[in-house]
């Protein structure tokens, strides 16, 4: 077997540890094989601006299959944000409460709190009366989630961290911040080198400053940044209590700040709080090797099924939204069909309109637009006037039924390869709200029409060649 085949097999198919490889190869000694695998991984190694307390930098392996996994998860997350934004006010409220219910059950499980169903729902709807100490802890965590949901654009720094910590503690004024004692939980132990799940307290401030710098200044994928931050919080354990909860909340805040907004608080990433053995194994392997890919691989395996479930629940919520908006009127018709048949018909008739925006398309004063560069559709000629752009718009709506009218209108007139477009251009072109414009442009990214990249304090969208 060629060297690169071994590297590909134990990196792309499964990011294996040395022990995993030995078991798979059924060999007691695999030093030469392991060397080949590490040489393959070195071709895709990305050094992170995160350091162990001994000064060693962590890295991550961005091999092809791993990059594809990252991109796939980010597409799913973006799809969740777009679909959530299309729910009605009542639909969003119900969906959020249902997701908070699932999340708080994870907190209940971690702390072995026995809380009945009705009381938990009352806490979520802010209709609770007298709470026990354990039940108050549940409420505090919900308050922290609400903080992320409502203030997703907050910068992540020491002040924000203090706010989250004070919410979990249930106090408006912190008497202390970073812990001042060493952690003795049986996890800080010597293997080959010392493995930390709670670094020495006199190293915390410098390590946290390193983390804040990484979060705010390093330009990498948001999901990668979130996972790296999650690892580092477990490694540092900066507080006396609630370190794991802070780690999950920061994970969500990074995603919220980077375009997922309020929907980020609703994902059940808290399931990681109750998978201690596997989590510890992944944390240990990454710290031993200074390779965070082991931890990344673990987190993705746990969270991707939850994200898929989230997508499915959003689809059901949108269908329920459609029914609630239309069924009451349609059922009153004299020639109404049987209830079940009519309900299905209402949903079917409205699914084609799920992507419609609240903006009004321009109806007059349309300028003639001539493009001198190649457009991103291979089969169409250079240079589109308004009539040709209109034909392309109609063609796009037939070829891609999920496009809204506004998305098709804008793209047909803004698809020149090499050009760069903005949310403000969409807003001006469609005469719509900024939020509608942002959601629509991100939807076009999700569907593969544009690539998206940051430029100073905004994002730019570049057409991607379509076959």
């Amino acid at each position: 077997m060629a060297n690169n085949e071994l590297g590909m097999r134990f990196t792309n198919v499964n990011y294996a540890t040395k022990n995993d490889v030995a078991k798979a190869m059924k060999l007691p000694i695999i030093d030469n094989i392991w060397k080949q695998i590490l040489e393959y991984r070195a071709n895709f190694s990305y050094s992170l601006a995160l350091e162990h307390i001994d000064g060693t930098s962590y890295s991550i392996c961005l091999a092809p299959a791993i990059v594809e996994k990252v991109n796939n998860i980010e597409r799913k997350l973006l799809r969740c944000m777009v679909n959530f934004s299309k729910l009605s006010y009542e639909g969003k409220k119900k969906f959020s409460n249902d997701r908070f219910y699932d999340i708080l059950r994870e907190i209940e499980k971690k702390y072995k709190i026995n809380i009945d169903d009705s009381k938990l729902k009352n806490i979520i709807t802010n209709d609770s009366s007298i709470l026990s100490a354990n039940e108050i802890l549940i409420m505090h965590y919900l308050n922290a989630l609400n903080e992320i949901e409502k203030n997703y654009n907050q910068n992540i720094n020491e002040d924000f961290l203090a706010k989250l910590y004070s919410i979990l503690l249930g106090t408006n004024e912190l008497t202390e911040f970073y812990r001042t004692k060493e952690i003795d939980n049986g996890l800080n132990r010597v293997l080959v080198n010392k493995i930390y799940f709670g670094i020495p307290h006199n190293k915390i401030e410098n390590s946290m400053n390193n983390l804040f710098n990484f979060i705010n200044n390093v330009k990498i994928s948001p999901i990668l940044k979130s996972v790296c931050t999650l690892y580092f919080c477990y490694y540092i354990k900066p507080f006396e209590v609630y370190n794991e909860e802070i780690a999950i909340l920061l994970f969500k805040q990074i995603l919220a700040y980077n375009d997922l907004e309020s929907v980020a608080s609703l994902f059940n990433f808290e399931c990681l709080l109750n998978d201690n053995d596997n989590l510890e194994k992944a944390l240990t392997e990454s710290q031993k090797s200074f390779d965070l890919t082991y931890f990344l691989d673990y987190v993705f395996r746990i969270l991707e099924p939850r994200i898929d479930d989230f997508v499915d629940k959003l689809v059901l919520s949108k269908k329920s939204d459609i029914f609630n908006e239309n069924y009451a009127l349609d059922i009153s018709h004299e020639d109404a069909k049987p209830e079940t048949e009519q309900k299905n018909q209402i949903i079917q008739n409205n699914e084609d309109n799920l992507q419609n925006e609240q903006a009004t398309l321009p109806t007059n004063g349309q300028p003639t637009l001539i493009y001198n560069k190649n457009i991103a559709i291979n089969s169409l000629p250079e240079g589109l006037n308004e009539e040709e752009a209109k034909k392309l718009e109609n063609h796009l709506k037939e070829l891609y039924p999920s496009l809204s009218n506004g998305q098709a209108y804008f793209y047909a007139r803004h698809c020149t390869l090499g050009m760069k477009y903005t949310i403000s251009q969409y807003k001006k072109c469609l005469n719509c709200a900024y939020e509608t414009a942002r959601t629509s442009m991100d939807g076009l990214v999700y569907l593969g029409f544009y690539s998206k990249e940051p430029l100073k304090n905004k994002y730019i969208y570049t057409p991607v060649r379509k076959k």
Side-chain angles (χ1 to χ4, degrees), residues 15 75 87 171 182 223 276 325 442 447 463:
Y15 203 78
R75 283 193 295 267
L87 293 177
T171 179
E182 304 305 347
I223 189 65
N276 294 329
E325 291 171 3
D442 285 343
L447 292 169

Side-chain angles (χ1 to χ4, degrees), residues 184-314:
D184 183 17
N185 57 6
L187 297 178
N188 295 347
R189 60 188 185 279
V190 175
L191 296 177
V192 176
N193 298 306
K194 191 171 181 63
I195 300 298
Y196 292 99
F197 296 115
I199 64 175
H201 70 86
N202 61 347
K203 304 286 186 180
I204 292 175
E205 187 170 0
N206 285 341
S207 294
M208 290 302 296
N209 289 337
N210 180 206
L211 178 59
F212 291 135
N213 178 68
F214 170 76
I215 292 172
N216 293 306
N217 298 316
V218 174
K219 303 298 182 184
I220 62 170
S221 153
I223 189 65
L224 285 180
K225 184 175 289 188
S226 295
V227 172
C228 292
T229 299
L230 184 69
Y231 166 85
F232 225 56
C233 286
Y234 271 91
Y235 159 65
I236 297 172
K237 288 191 178 294
F239 301 114
E240 297 290 348
V241 291
Y242 301 135
N243 287 292
E244 293 83 2
E245 289 82 357
I246 289 289
I248 298 293
L249 292 169
L250 281 182
F251 186 106
K252 292 185 173 188
Q253 180 64 20
I254 291 171
L255 294 178
Y257 188 82
N258 289 276
D259 290 346
L260 282 195
E261 301 182 351
S262 58
V263 75
S265 65
L266 305 179
F267 291 101
N268 185 11
F269 298 155
E270 284 75 7
C271 62
L272 294 169
L273 297 172
N274 293 301
D275 191 39
N276 294 329
D277 291 343
N278 292 322
L279 177 67
E280 182 189 336
K281 181 180 178 182
L283 288 164
T284 300
E285 196 63 44
S286 280
Q287 194 173 157
K288 283 166 53 182
S289 61
F290 302 104
D291 181 359
L292 294 190
T293 321
Y294 294 109
F295 186 66
L296 178 77
D297 182 62
Y298 161 76
V299 171
F300 280 2
R301 280 188 283 109
I302 297 298
L303 297 190
E304 191 168 19
R306 268 77 176 183
I307 296 171
D308 290 339
D309 181 63
F310 194 96
V311 171
D312 293 340
K313 285 185 169 70
L314 267 175

Side-chain angles (χ1 to χ4, degrees), residues 38 74 78 135 329 337 352 407 412 457:
L38 293 181
E74 291 207 327
L78 180 57
E135 291 166 347
L329 285 175
K337 300 175 183 179
D352 289 337
Q407 288 172 320
N457 62 342

Side-chain angles (χ1 to χ4, degrees), residues 7-245:
M8 291 172 64
R9 173 185 171 186
F10 291 111
T11 300
N12 288 303
V13 178
N14 175 37
Y15 203 78
T17 65
K18 188 173 182 179
N19 286 338
D20 293 335
V21 175
K23 290 178 182 178
M25 301 295 291
K26 297 180 180 179
L27 295 172
I29 300 175
I30 57 162
D31 290 350
N32 288 334
I33 294 174
W34 186 242
K35 181 180 178 181
Q36 294 168 19
I37 294 169
L38 293 181
E39 287 174 352
Y40 174 81
R41 292 178 179 180
N43 294 319
F44 307 100
S45 180
Y46 176 82
S47 182
L48 297 164
L50 289 172
E51 293 183 351
H52 190 274
I53 59 173
D54 70 2
T56 305
S57 293
Y58 285 95
S59 66
I60 199 162
C61 179
L62 298 179
I66 297 170
V67 171
E68 177 57 30
K69 177 69 73 174
V70 169
N71 291 338
N72 185 44
I73 288 178
E74 291 207 327
R75 283 193 295 267
K76 290 178 181 180
L77 292 173
L78 180 57
R79 179 182 172 191
C80 290
M81 184 275 293
V82 171
N83 289 345
F84 180 77
S85 71
K86 294 181 183 296
L87 293 177
S88 67
Y89 173 80
E90 289 300 324
K92 287 179 181 176
K93 185 176 180 181
K94 183 180 186 309
F95 184 83
S96 297
N97 286 347
D98 289 345
R99 303 291 72 75
F100 285 148
Y101 177 90
D102 296 337
I103 289 169
L104 296 181
R105 282 297 183 198
E106 297 288 352
I107 303 298
E108 176 196 41
K109 182 179 178 181
K110 177 184 178 183
Y111 289 98
K112 298 179 174 57
I113 302 170
N114 185 18
I115 181 169
D116 65 67
D117 195 67
S118 60
K119 197 162 192 178
L120 182 58
K121 290 179 179 178
N122 286 340
I123 291 174
I124 293 170
T125 57
N126 199 27
D127 191 30
S128 53
S129 53
I130 299 175
L131 300 176
S132 68
N134 285 337
E135 291 166 347
I136 288 174
L137 183 134
I138 294 278
M139 185 181 69
H140 288 166
Y141 195 81
L142 176 63
N143 291 340
L145 292 173
N146 287 330
E147 176 68 22
I148 293 173
E149 182 184 33
K150 295 174 183 176
N151 299 295
Y152 52 79
N153 59 348
Q154 292 185 76
N155 290 324
I156 301 172
N157 51 32
E158 199 170 78
D159 290 338
F160 174 73
L161 197 65
K163 181 184 291 186
L164 287 182
Y165 191 44
S166 64
I167 290 172
L168 292 178
L169 290 172
T171 179
N172 292 324
E173 185 175 345
L174 292 174
T175 57
E176 59 181 8
F177 192 46
Y178 294 141
R179 63 179 166 84
T180 57
K181 301 175 183 177
E182 304 305 347
I183 290 180
D184 183 17
N185 57 6
L187 297 178
N188 295 347
R189 60 188 185 279
V190 175
L191 296 177
V192 176
N193 298 306
K194 191 171 181 63
I195 300 298
Y196 292 99
F197 296 115
I199 64 175
H201 70 86
N202 61 347
K203 304 286 186 180
I204 292 175
E205 187 170 0
N206 285 341
S207 294
M208 290 302 296
N209 289 337
N210 180 206
L211 178 59
F212 291 135
N213 178 68
F214 170 76
I215 292 172
N216 293 306
N217 298 316
V218 174
K219 303 298 182 184
I220 62 170
S221 153
I223 189 65
L224 285 180
K225 184 175 289 188
S226 295
V227 172
C228 292
T229 299
L230 184 69
Y231 166 85
F232 225 56
C233 286
Y234 271 91
Y235 159 65
I236 297 172
K237 288 191 178 294
F239 301 114
E240 297 290 348
V241 291
Y242 301 135
N243 287 292
E244 293 83 2
E245 289 82 357

